[in-house]
Amino acid sequence: MPRPFQGLPPGVPPSGTALRQAGCASPMLAMHRQEPLATTLFFCGDVMTGHGIDPLLHPSDFLSPAERSVKAALEYVREAESAQPDTPLPRPVCYEYPWGDALALLKREQPDLRLVNLEASITARGSPAAPRAHARLPPQHLPTLAALGVDGAVLANHHALDWGHEGLNDTLAALRQAGIAGVGAGRDRSEAEQEVQWLVPGKARVRLFAFGHASSGLSPDWAAADGRPGINWLEALDGEAITQIARRIHDSRREGDIVLVSLHWGGCWGYEVSAEQRDFAHALIDEAGVDLVWGHCAHHPQPIEVYRDRLILYGVGDFQGEASAGGGHEEFRPDLAALYLPRLAPDGSLRDLRLWPLRVHLFRLKRAGASDSHWLAR
């Protein structure tokens, strides 16, 4: 599994082990390879295991049922059981349970990096920040992310501060302890704006920037500031934002870099991509040199575009999330999810994109059947 890039002293080649992990027959052959291999990435949408899954993991020591988020989670479980009376939910379940068939698919595809949009605070502290359901991932349930093999978790979304500054600080600390790179939020503005990097042996240095925009329902009050925790707030989808992003990318860009930008934007339901979003995504590629745009917020997959050989995922939908756990908006099939597996050439251009359709059933991801797959494709 790739580690966040720490760099190597000048003149020190990568180890033979690292070269073999990159698929090379021997260190000597690898050093003479002229063309780096393609980089395969795994993207998914919202991961929010607090809705329904947490009560199944450790029912006996689950958080106080007086808490609103816990009541909501337990209600999701009751709804699922009433809808499937002949299929009782197991208790307790293992940490791999929510991911179901996705784990076998990932083992088969062997992506170099696994990236998720984490819509939950990993904390047992804090106070609810707004009068709505709040996503909490109890720290003892963090192994659910490890079971998926997550390398990076985007936090620039509208659940990062559900449990206030305490909750965000706990989340950042928990991810660091678990060896998962958090991006898009921080203890101050500087940390929130910081990208994360991974060196994929024999392939590329992958750089990920993450932003949250008001169109997703984010409040500017959640923006990180000097001395104040928060998210990496994107003020507007305009030329000034492009200029600032381009400057940050170009100032430290090296040959062989693959640059990804994560955007939490748009509404929760609907397939329409606004002209503003489309123009901004194109400008990221044209002016900032971004190789892949990874959008999320909507609870269902949205359009895909290949622009100048670069991939734009306008919205990847939920993976294990709020909408798939409860009812409503069935016309958008929020129970359907997808594994997104783009393969990028050394110059960042798209070689191919594989999608594996999945369906959430009893809080577990299963391979989608033919009719569901065709529906999602249409």
Side-chain angles (χ1 to χ4, degrees), residues 42-324:
F42 158 58
F43 294 102
C44 71
D46 301 354
V47 168
M48 186 190 290
T49 63
H51 286 75
I53 295 168
D54 281 347
L56 303 179
L57 287 167
H58 295 292
S60 62
D61 63 359
F62 195 55
L63 297 172
S64 166
E67 192 174 282
R68 181 178 177 183
S69 62
V70 175
K71 287 183 176 180
L74 293 171
E75 182 60 32
Y76 283 131
V77 171
R78 285 191 287 268
E79 288 179 6
E81 289 182 318
S82 63
Q84 302 283 338
D86 298 329
T87 312
L89 279 161
R91 292 181 179 81
V93 298
C94 63
Y95 293 119
E96 291 81 5
Y97 176 86
W99 315 121
D101 293 341
L103 295 180
L105 291 172
L106 288 169
K107 184 176 181 180
R108 166 181 170 168
E109 297 289 343
Q110 289 294 305
D112 295 301
L113 288 172
R114 304 182 186 198
L115 307 173
V116 307
N117 175 49
L118 179 62
E119 293 213 333
S121 295
I122 307 170
T123 184
R125 304 189 302 157
S127 301
R132 57 175 171 80
H134 301 87
R136 188 203 290 273
L137 176 64
Q140 66 268 31
H141 296 174
L142 185 58
T144 53
L145 296 183
L148 187 60
V150 175
D151 294 296
V154 168
L155 302 174
N157 57 56
H158 58 278
H159 286 283
L161 275 87
D162 271 358
W163 296 93
H165 294 163
E166 280 186 330
L168 176 58
N169 289 334
D170 286 352
T171 300
L172 294 166
L175 290 174
R176 280 195 299 271
Q177 187 174 5
I180 298 172
V183 61
R187 291 165 293 186
D188 55 28
R189 187 199 310 273
S190 177
E191 187 175 51
E193 292 177 348
Q194 185 62 47
E195 66 185 287
V196 294
Q197 303 177 9
W198 295 270
L199 183 62
V200 182
K203 296 187 178 182
R205 180 175 71 151
V206 178
R207 306 169 63 194
L208 172 61
F209 298 81
F211 304 87
H213 184 251
S215 59
S216 67
L218 277 165
S219 166
D221 295 338
W222 282 23
D226 296 337
R228 185 183 74 189
I231 67 163
N232 191 16
W233 173 255
L234 189 63
E235 182 70 28
L237 303 177
D238 59 12
E240 182 179 349
I242 292 293
T243 299
Q244 292 175 355
I245 295 170
R247 185 181 300 117
R248 293 206 55 195
I249 292 172
H250 294 323
D251 284 350
S252 56
R253 185 154 200 162
R254 298 200 312 241
E255 184 178 356
D257 282 359
I258 290 177
V259 179
L260 319 174
V261 165
S262 164
L263 291 166
H264 200 66
W265 63 354
C268 290
W269 304 103
Y271 298 114
E272 182 180 356
V273 174
S274 71
E276 185 182 40
Q277 287 175 283
R278 186 176 63 250
D279 292 346
F280 192 78
H282 290 183
L284 284 172
I285 294 168
D286 289 335
E287 301 176 38
V290 171
D291 296 306
L292 187 148
V293 178
W294 168 29
H296 38 80
C297 179
H299 292 305
H300 56 87
Q302 291 183 308
I304 297 169
E305 181 181 5
V306 179
Y307 173 73
R308 295 185 59 188
D309 295 326
R310 265 61 184 174
L311 179 63
I312 302 172
L313 302 169
Y314 284 103
V316 293
D318 280 359
F319 197 58
Q320 271 288 9
E322 180 177 21
S324 59

Side-chain angles (χ1 to χ4, degrees), residues 22-41:
C24 305
S26 71
M28 187 61 66
L29 278 175
M31 290 180 185
H32 287 84
R33 186 183 296 279
Q34 298 299 313
E35 185 72 15
L37 301 172
T39 301
T40 302
L41 305 171

